[in-house]
Amino acid sequence: MSDDVQSPARRRLLRDIALLVGATAVSPQIASALMAAGDSEAASNPSRGLTSSHFQLVETLSEIIIPQTDTAGAIGAGVPQFIDALVASHYPPEHRRRFRRGLEDIDALPMDSATDGFLHATQQQQIALVEKLDRQAFAQESELPGNVFFREFKQLVLFGYYTSEIGATEELRYQPIPGEFKGCVPLREIGRAWATY
Amino acid sequence: MKEKIYDVIVVGSGISGGWAAKELTENNMKTLVIERGPQKVHRQDYPHDFSNPWDLEQRGMVPEQLQESDYATQKKCYVFNEFSRDRFVNDRENPYVQEKPFDWIRGYQTGGRSLLWGRQSYRWSDLDFGANKRDGHGVDWPIRYRDLAPWYDHVEEFAGISGNRDNIPQLPDGIFQPPMPMNCVEKEIKSRIEKAFPERRMIIGRAAHLTDPKPVHTELGRGKCQYRNQCYRGCSFGAYFSSLSATLPAAERTGNLEMVHDSIARDIIFDPQTGRATGVRVVDRLTLQERVYRARIIFLCASTLGSTQLMLNSVSDHFPNGIANRSGALGRYLMDHTMSAGAFGTVDGHLDSYYSGRRPNGIYIPRFRNLQRQGEDYLRGFGYQGGAMRPSWQRRGQKAGIGLALKERLRQPGPWVFHLAGFGEMLPYRHNRVSLDPEKRDRWGIPLLRIDASWGENERKMREDMASSAVEMLQAVGIGDATPIKQDHAPGLAIHEMGTARMGRDPKTSVLNGYNQCHDVKNLFVTDGAAMASSACQNPSLTYMALTARAVDHAVKEIRAGRL
């Protein structure tokens, strides 16, 4: 829609994409996911709780956790906008600060090659780092701040993704009004997990 | 102008007040219902009835700061979220004093907590009505099962309780809507449990949902359960029982009902000449103005602690310690249920079977302890609620794994898990009590309620058994990783608070007689949870309904006979 293209949110999104595409190693996956996100309603919210570099970190991290496959990934489902809104209006100031610090700490982690932070690393490097963070976070009940942050972040990504319209209706199965309860149904008739209890 | 005198005033419009209004108006009594909260209209005021998770920016989460500032207690309720927040009280605006931790979960609006209740509906039996007499804790109930049985019939038929006829003496059958089905795994666990423990039964939960509506329901606009499992948001189908969907519309169509909202009952006016309550003084929630309403009979259905607070605040030369409180029992013997003790574990196999629809109900294992004889090192007993299900992303995401592998794993439902969570009887202790704060008042000038309640040794011992017996049953049905659940909680959080104006045979030790009528003030009735002399272990609302309908029947007969 031409209106949409002209909207500040749309312009901002295109600027963000341009920024990312201009960066050394944005993956085609993330770029196409961003393009797709431009059509979703959630994506038209301007960033509120996060700075633009924090927002990019959230996009990159969340899309690595839930990538686009045959269905949309985290970015396509509007997860970064959900997290942004949550940080802006759900978190009290101290929690907000802690969350931003958690993102910054990830960006400051040393990468294998001489690149300038997480956002500028190659996609392979980014994925390898997130895999490592993930393993560490769930290895033991580690209470190191980095691990606590990663667990919280992953939980938000999953929550944001599977409660989104795409996550609930395209990735999983969703019935707003089932109308009846059947206690024994072959799984193949449903095919995937229900999104809601 | 001559002051209007109603036949009856009912204070409160929740589960009990709705029933009082229905029964009274259907008996041609000109009835005024006084509700302290704002008006809520069935369907119109269920803003999130048809919301999808993604329709709310925060997907149903309540902002952390708001939870802390305004819902410090309410946020502990298992159905508190952004879809339901509008029907919980604001704790900051409605303070109370906790001498010891007590979670007082409240909903002030038309229909009260009937818009939030868990809907599990079980009859009591003489095991329960005879419990106090049997072991000497509390006073003997002035009624037995036979007194209440016809009234259980009466309320079940109208409310619509889905359930199976299971022929279990300690959990009598009722007038049921067709039962909801168990899933495959529950069916198998049921047969294994009943084989391993012949004295234990696992049944489908009995819940206040219409599964096959009858004309008595459809003529009020109520319909069949749609298996959405989001009752706490309000149900425009009217499929679960609430005052809004059922009793108040029934009362309204008689033409005998009047209702006022935003009217906080402050005290009951007593006439020492006649020995009768003559009216209720209210404070307008919004304007703070006082008003008085007059009636020949008064029914208190303002919730367990609400009714008692109102009685304690109704002092006169005649009743310096609260109206109808010559016994000194008013405010005492507060009870709740002890819960959050049980077990869970993974069920092997059945990976090709699943379910469809969200059943707003689970399974129930009725009490099996201390039935015919005292066999444990604690008194009374507990029942389990539970169920089998296949968790999805909500519980399965919190382990290592990212990317495609994570996405594919969460596409499929997880292995079956089964859980049991006990609800246990709490003894009536004299020291568990509520009183009025001598100084602090709320914004309407009403003294704050002080709550001083704690668990006793009997509840602690029972909880141990609730957890270990659950583990034992899970192991017996082949659940290898059975894990105990034992989460401590303050009294109140089971939201089954009961007692503080108990029924009894002796006016010297109890507040109410066998018809929920004050021993000391014959035209004052209390028919909500305050009346309970013991707590049993069943969810109590169905019993409040039956007691209320029975009390109305008695009051109407007495009025017609010229005795009241």
Side-chain angles (χ1 to χ4, degrees):
Chain A
M1 273 196 305
S2 57
D3 278 354
D4 198 21
V5 172
Q6 297 308 316
S7 75
R10 178 71 176 176
R11 281 201 301 276
R12 204 198 109 73
L13 184 80
L14 293 173
R15 192 195 66 208
D16 286 349
I17 293 169
L19 271 173
L20 267 172
V21 172
T24 49
V26 71
S27 70
Q29 204 182 48
I30 287 174
S32 74
L34 277 167
M35 290 304 205
D39 297 327
S40 89
E41 198 191 331
S44 63
N45 293 329
S47 164
R48 298 186 323 199
L50 298 169
T51 64
S52 141
S53 66
H54 288 152
F55 192 80
Q56 283 178 41
L57 276 162
V58 168
E59 284 180 325
T60 309
L61 288 166
S62 62
E63 186 70 17
I64 290 172
I65 293 171
I66 301 278
Q68 180 172 333
T69 54
D70 57 332
T71 59
I75 291 175
V79 170
Q81 287 76 11
F82 162 72
I83 292 177
D84 180 46
L86 206 69
V87 171
S89 42
H90 185 84
Y91 285 0
E94 172 49 31
H95 195 172
R96 203 176 300 151
R97 273 193 294 277
R98 207 165 56 234
F99 190 83
R100 289 175 179 152
R101 202 157 50 232
L103 286 172
E104 286 159 12
D105 287 349
I106 288 181
D107 195 34
L109 286 170
M111 305 300 295
D112 293 339
S113 64
T115 49
D116 185 17
F118 178 80
L119 277 180
H120 297 98
T122 67
Q123 195 198 358
Q124 280 76 5
Q125 288 173 327
Q126 288 174 338
I127 292 174
L129 181 76
V130 174
E131 272 175 349
K132 193 173 139 199
L133 292 173
D134 184 61
R135 265 197 314 277
Q136 286 172 355
F138 293 98
Q140 281 123 23
E141 305 221 333
S142 167
E143 293 309 310
L144 287 173
N147 292 334
V148 171
F149 171 78
F150 190 85
R151 289 199 296 266
E152 175 189 352
F153 185 82
K154 185 173 173 182
Q155 192 171 21
L156 284 185
V157 171
L158 297 186
F159 184 76
Y161 183 72
Y162 291 109
T163 58
S164 72
E165 185 165 10
I166 285 172
T169 66
E170 294 179 18
E171 175 65 17
L172 300 181
R173 295 289 174 264
Y174 177 71
Q175 279 187 321
I177 306 177
E180 62 178 338
F181 177 76
K182 288 188 275 192
C184 299
V185 184
L187 175 58
R188 65 178 179 280
E189 281 183 20
I190 296 158
R192 297 187 182 188
W194 294 113
T196 48
Y197 288 137
Chain B
M1 201 179 96
K2 195 167 174 292
E3 197 177 30
K4 181 165 183 176
I5 299 179
Y6 295 91
D7 291 330
V8 188
I9 286 173
V10 177
V11 182
S13 66
I15 288 253
S16 306
W19 268 104
K22 172 185 177 294
E23 299 295 299
L24 287 161
T25 54
E26 288 180 351
N27 275 293
N28 227 13
M29 297 285 142
K30 298 292 178 195
T31 303
L32 174 73
V33 173
I34 297 176
E35 168 55 50
R36 65 175 294 158
Q39 183 170 17
K40 289 253 162 88
V41 179
H42 184 49
R43 298 199 177 103
Q44 188 180 309
D45 289 320
Y46 303 149
H48 295 304
D49 191 3
F50 296 102
S51 300
N52 298 297
W54 56 87
D55 293 334
L56 274 68
E57 189 179 55
Q58 300 189 15
R59 313 277 164 87
M61 286 190 280
V62 178
E64 283 178 21
Q65 264 171 312
L66 188 62
Q67 291 189 37
E68 295 310 319
S69 62
D70 288 22
Y71 299 97
T73 295
Q74 308 307 307
K75 69 173 184 183
K76 298 178 190 175
C77 176
Y78 68 110
V79 294
F80 177 80
N81 57 37
E82 196 59 30
F83 295 108
S84 60
R85 181 168 63 85
D86 68 313
R87 59 209 59 201
F88 284 91
V89 299
N90 182 311
D91 287 311
R92 185 170 46 78
E93 294 170 358
N94 295 278
Y96 62 100
V97 180
Q98 302 180 51
E99 295 196 19
K100 300 190 187 83
F102 185 95
D103 294 319
W104 191 12
I105 307 297
R106 293 165 289 167
Y108 293 160
Q109 62 241 324
T110 327
R113 286 182 295 184
S114 76
L115 299 183
L116 290 164
W117 71 306
R119 310 166 311 284
Q120 291 287 300
S121 301
Y122 300 101
R123 291 187 179 205
W124 286 26
S125 73
D126 275 338
L127 181 67
D128 307 304
F129 291 113
N132 287 359
K133 187 170 188 201
R134 176 173 159 185
D135 61 35
H137 288 266
V139 292
D140 187 24
W141 277 87
I143 57 171
R144 286 296 183 267
Y145 179 67
R146 65 175 177 278
D147 299 306
L148 211 51
W151 297 102
Y152 277 131
D153 289 352
H154 180 76
V155 299
E156 281 168 346
E157 188 169 19
F158 177 81
I161 310 296
S162 69
N164 189 48
R165 296 183 65 86
D166 299 297
N167 194 25
I168 299 169
Q170 67 273 30
L171 198 77
D173 290 332
I175 311 288
F176 292 142
Q177 293 267 306
M180 294 180 188
M182 290 189 188
N183 61 44
C184 298
V185 169
E186 288 165 345
K187 281 180 192 161
E188 185 176 318
I189 290 176
K190 168 184 168 67
S191 77
R192 289 196 197 166
I193 284 182
E194 293 180 354
K195 204 170 151 197
F197 304 93
E199 76 289 6
R200 302 184 194 178
R201 296 287 304 278
M202 176 170 143
I203 64 173
I204 189 68
R206 299 173 182 172
H209 295 260
L210 299 178
T211 48
D212 180 22
K214 298 282 185 283
V216 65
H217 309 116
T218 54
E219 67 192 22
L220 291 167
R222 299 186 62 197
K224 191 172 159 289
C225 179
Q226 300 297 310
Y227 296 96
R228 300 184 296 167
N229 194 24
Q230 56 182 50
C231 318
Y232 58 88
R233 297 189 197 177
C235 179
S236 292
F237 298 98
Y240 80 85
F241 171 84
S242 72
S243 299
L244 243 57
S245 70
T247 43
L248 292 176
E252 204 157 319
R253 69 181 170 179
T254 65
N256 294 322
L257 177 71
E258 276 185 51
M259 200 161 170
V260 288
H261 287 89
D262 301 307
S263 301
I264 303 173
R266 199 185 81 180
D267 61 292
I268 298 150
I269 300 161
F270 176 75
D271 179 0
Q273 312 281 270
T274 59
R276 293 168 71 93
T278 59
V280 177
R281 193 181 341 258
V282 307
V283 183
D284 190 290
R285 184 175 70 90
L286 304 168
T287 66
L288 304 183
Q289 277 174 337
E290 280 184 16
R291 291 187 292 270
V292 170
Y293 295 102
R294 301 271 176 194
R296 293 181 181 86
I297 312 279
I298 295 170
F299 266 68
L300 300 187
C301 302
S303 84
T304 291
L305 297 181
S307 291
T308 295
Q309 182 178 22
L310 174 56
M311 291 175 77
L312 287 169
N313 199 39
S314 304
V315 291
S316 58
D317 291 342
H318 207 77
F319 291 117
N321 302 313
I323 192 165
N325 187 23
R326 283 209 193 99
S327 66
L330 185 66
R332 294 190 177 273
Y333 309 99
L334 173 61
M335 297 162 283
D336 188 28
H337 285 147
T338 177
M339 60 166 197
S340 297
F344 69 97
T346 313
V347 182
D348 290 335
H350 305 277
L351 293 176
D352 53 356
S353 74
Y354 205 16
Y355 39 77
S356 165
R358 298 184 291 279
R359 187 186 61 195
N361 186 17
I363 61 91
Y364 190 69
I365 296 181
R367 176 172 159 187
F368 53 85
R369 292 300 197 202
N370 301 326
L371 295 180
Q372 275 77 36
R373 53 176 194 87
Q374 176 66 36
E376 305 302 317
D377 65 347
Y378 59 84
L379 300 168
R380 315 214 180 174
F382 56 87
Y384 289 111
Q385 295 180 25
M389 51 95 66
R390 300 187 72 170
S392 299
W393 60 271
Q394 292 90 337
R395 279 159 65 177
R396 301 182 64 225
Q398 288 308 298
K399 56 177 170 180
I402 61 164
L404 181 63
L406 172 67
K407 219 173 153 181
E408 298 211 315
R409 187 166 69 82
L410 297 184
R411 236 173 221 190
Q412 296 303 314
W416 286 87
V417 295
F418 182 70
H419 86 278
L420 292 175
F423 279 79
E425 177 158 5
M426 182 183 189
L427 293 174
Y429 301 108
R430 186 173 166 81
H431 59 260
N432 281 342
R433 64 176 295 220
V434 298
S435 57
L436 298 182
D437 193 281
E439 284 156 21
K440 293 185 193 134
R441 285 165 188 263
D442 63 20
R443 59 171 67 179
W444 301 282
I446 297 170
L448 299 194
L449 196 68
R450 297 182 73 90
I451 308 179
D452 181 0
S454 53
W455 306 115
E457 195 53 31
N458 200 63
E459 290 75 42
R460 276 188 281 276
K461 284 181 182 162
M462 189 187 293
R463 289 176 67 76
E464 295 297 318
D465 192 17
M466 282 158 69
S468 60
S469 290
V471 169
E472 179 193 35
M473 270 190 279
L474 265 54
Q475 286 170 342
V477 301
I479 294 174
D481 64 350
T483 308
I485 306 167
K486 256 193 277 181
Q487 283 171 352
D488 286 340
H489 66 96
L493 198 58
I495 328 181
H496 294 166
E497 70 273 15
M498 281 178 259
T500 66
R502 68 183 179 187
M503 293 168 80
R505 298 170 193 276
D506 185 350
K508 290 199 281 298
T509 57
S510 59
V511 180
L512 306 171
N513 70 13
Y515 290 101
N516 296 73
Q517 183 177 20
C518 289
H519 289 299
D520 303 340
V521 182
K522 292 292 178 200
N523 69 332
L524 181 61
F525 292 75
V526 185
T527 73
D528 56 30
M532 306 300 267
S534 69
S535 73
C537 63
Q538 297 92 318
N539 308 55
S541 294
L542 184 72
T543 298
Y544 305 164
M545 298 186 212
L547 285 172
T548 301
R550 180 172 174 271
V552 169
D553 177 71
H554 175 75
V556 168
K557 281 179 182 149
E558 291 292 288
I559 292 165
R560 289 189 181 143
R563 288 192 293 264
L564 191 62

